[in-house]
């Protein structure tokens, strides 16, 4: 079996010795060094977490296959506290549409089925050193590429269909910037440091989307607690921030942006 064809379901069915053997094979295939294989609890079942180092950069194994991505707004019900917080933000002139559900429909990707290859993805996003148009060639010179938007979303959520990678709730007495011990700082199920700081703005190959943050706009703008957390939503695409990043006004903003390189298998 090609490692690129490894599905998340198959990966979760393996015992630890079999997972370690596949992880070692992946490290050898990319000329890297296996640094960790551990088993964590995720969505009520074990999940193996793999670290592979190559050229001084740490990557995590992200199993693919046929997956369900996006946020199911029809099945979701906001808590009374979330609804009240959004109402306060609306009263201050923030928000899209008439209610929280309409607001989320503007920002989150819809529920859908996708098929993805298994890849290695950087544990930590890295700052851009060039404009976005030059980024694919810069990464290719290192044997890397941009993630797709679907790959980013899958890597972040690791199969969870909740609003955030840790669940549907977030602290409503503070925004992420004021929450140094908040859930966003824990590694995700695959071992990535992802969707952890709204001042970060991660790029993929989709020019209509950015991920994991909004450059701090929500924090600086005083949008309110829930709107301050939403840039960290797993299915967040933030098309309005993307329009700025890729528009004429964003030409000089690349030094504030980042990406999470993919190492194909």
């Amino acid at each position: 079996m090609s490692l690129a064809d490894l599905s998340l379901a198959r990966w979760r069915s393996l015992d630890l010795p079999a997972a370690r053997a596949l992880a070692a094979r992946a490290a050898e295939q990319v000329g890297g060094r296996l640094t960790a294989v551990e088993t964590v609890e995720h969505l009520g079942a074990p999940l193996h977490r793999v670290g592979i180092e190559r050229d001084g950069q740490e990557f995590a194994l992200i199993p693919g296959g046929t997956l369900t991505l996006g946020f199911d707004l029809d099945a979701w019900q906001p808590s009374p506290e979330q609804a009240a917080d959004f109402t306060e933000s609306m009263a201050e002139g923030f928000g899209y549409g008439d209610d929280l559900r309409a607001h989320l429909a503007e920002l989150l990707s819809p529920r859908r089925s996708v098929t993805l290859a298994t890849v290695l993805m950087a544990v930590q996003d890295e700052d851009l050193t060039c404009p976005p148009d030059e980024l694919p060639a810069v990464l290719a010179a290192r044997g890397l590429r941009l993630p797709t938007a679907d790959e980013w979303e899958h890597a972040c959520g690791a199969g969870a269909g909740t609003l955030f990678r840790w669940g549907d709730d977030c602290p409503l007495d503070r925004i992420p910037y004021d929450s140094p011990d908040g859930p966003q700082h824990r590694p995700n199920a695959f071992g990535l440091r992802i969707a952890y700081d709204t001042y970060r703005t991660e790029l993929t190959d989709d020019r209509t989307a950015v991920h994991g943050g909004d450059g701090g706009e929500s924090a600086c703008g005083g949008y309110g607690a829930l709107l301050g957390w939403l840039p960290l939503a797993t299915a967040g695409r933030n098309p309005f921030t993307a329009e700025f990043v890729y528009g004429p006004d964003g030409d000089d903003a690349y030094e504030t942006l980042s990406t999470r390189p993919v190492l194909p298998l």
Side-chain angles (χ1 to χ4, degrees), residues 234-248:
T234 299
R237 295 295 176 99
N238 227 319
F240 306 103
T241 301
E243 185 177 5
F244 167 78
V245 166
Y246 291 107

Side-chain angles (χ1 to χ4, degrees), residues 61-86:
L61 180 72
I62 313 296
T66 299
L67 308 155
T68 300
L69 298 182
F71 190 64
D72 189 350
L73 277 171
D74 293 333
W76 173 76
Q77 187 64 39
S79 69
E81 294 79 12
Q82 287 174 330
D85 190 86
F86 181 76

Side-chain angles (χ1 to χ4, degrees), residues 48-60:
H48 307 302
R49 182 187 287 174
V50 171
I52 293 175
E53 181 269 331
R54 195 191 77 159
D55 296 336
Q57 187 168 25
E58 192 76 15
F59 294 88

Side-chain angles (χ1 to χ4, degrees), residues 95-97 102-108 201 207-211 213-215 217 223 236-247 249-250:
Y96 306 110
H103 178 84
L104 293 180
E106 293 282 350
L107 297 176
L108 306 183
T201 307
R207 296 174 70 92
T208 69
V210 297
H211 308 265
D214 63 358
E217 179 183 347
Y223 287 6
R237 295 295 176 99
N238 227 319
F240 306 103
T241 301
E243 185 177 5
F244 167 78
V245 166
Y246 291 107
D249 294 332

Side-chain angles (χ1 to χ4, degrees), residues 10-224:
R10 170 64 175 155
W11 176 247
R12 301 200 74 163
S13 74
L14 300 177
D15 60 19
L16 186 57
R20 185 176 289 112
L22 273 180
R25 181 178 154 198
E28 181 181 10
Q29 185 169 310
V30 299
R33 179 176 63 90
L34 185 63
T35 58
V37 182
E38 59 180 347
T39 303
V40 298
E41 190 78 10
H42 179 58
L43 302 178
L47 175 65
H48 307 302
R49 182 187 287 174
V50 171
I52 293 175
E53 181 269 331
R54 195 191 77 159
D55 296 336
Q57 187 168 25
E58 192 76 15
F59 294 88
L61 180 72
I62 313 296
T66 299
L67 308 155
T68 300
L69 298 182
F71 190 64
D72 189 350
L73 277 171
D74 293 333
W76 173 76
Q77 187 64 39
S79 69
E81 294 79 12
Q82 287 174 330
D85 190 86
F86 181 76
T87 298
E88 293 180 10
S89 294
M90 289 286 288
E92 296 296 323
F94 302 113
Y96 306 110
D98 297 327
D99 57 22
L100 179 52
R101 201 177 300 273
H103 178 84
L104 293 180
E106 293 282 350
L107 297 176
L108 306 183
S109 69
R111 206 69 166 161
R112 65 203 182 279
S113 179
V114 303
T115 300
L116 301 176
T118 293
V119 298
L120 300 179
M121 184 176 287
V123 168
Q124 177 70 53
D125 60 312
E126 59 182 62
D127 295 334
L128 265 61
T129 58
C130 63
D133 287 345
E134 300 174 19
L135 188 55
V138 169
L139 290 177
R142 296 162 52 196
L144 305 171
R145 65 167 172 82
L146 285 164
T148 69
D150 287 347
E151 285 174 335
W152 192 99
E153 186 176 322
H154 167 55
C156 181
T162 47
L163 185 57
F164 304 101
R165 58 181 173 84
W166 59 83
D168 283 324
D169 296 324
C170 60
L172 293 177
D173 59 346
R174 69 198 84 124
I175 60 174
Y177 181 77
D178 298 320
S179 185
D181 58 349
Q184 76 276 21
H185 292 298
R186 296 193 294 264
N188 84 334
F190 290 134
L192 301 176
R193 188 171 187 234
I194 192 169
Y196 65 95
D197 182 353
T198 58
Y199 279 84
R200 308 294 286 179
T201 307
E202 294 192 34
L203 305 187
T204 63
D205 70 351
D206 184 347
R207 296 174 70 92
T208 69
V210 297
H211 308 265
D214 63 358
E217 179 183 347
S218 56
C220 297
Y223 287 6

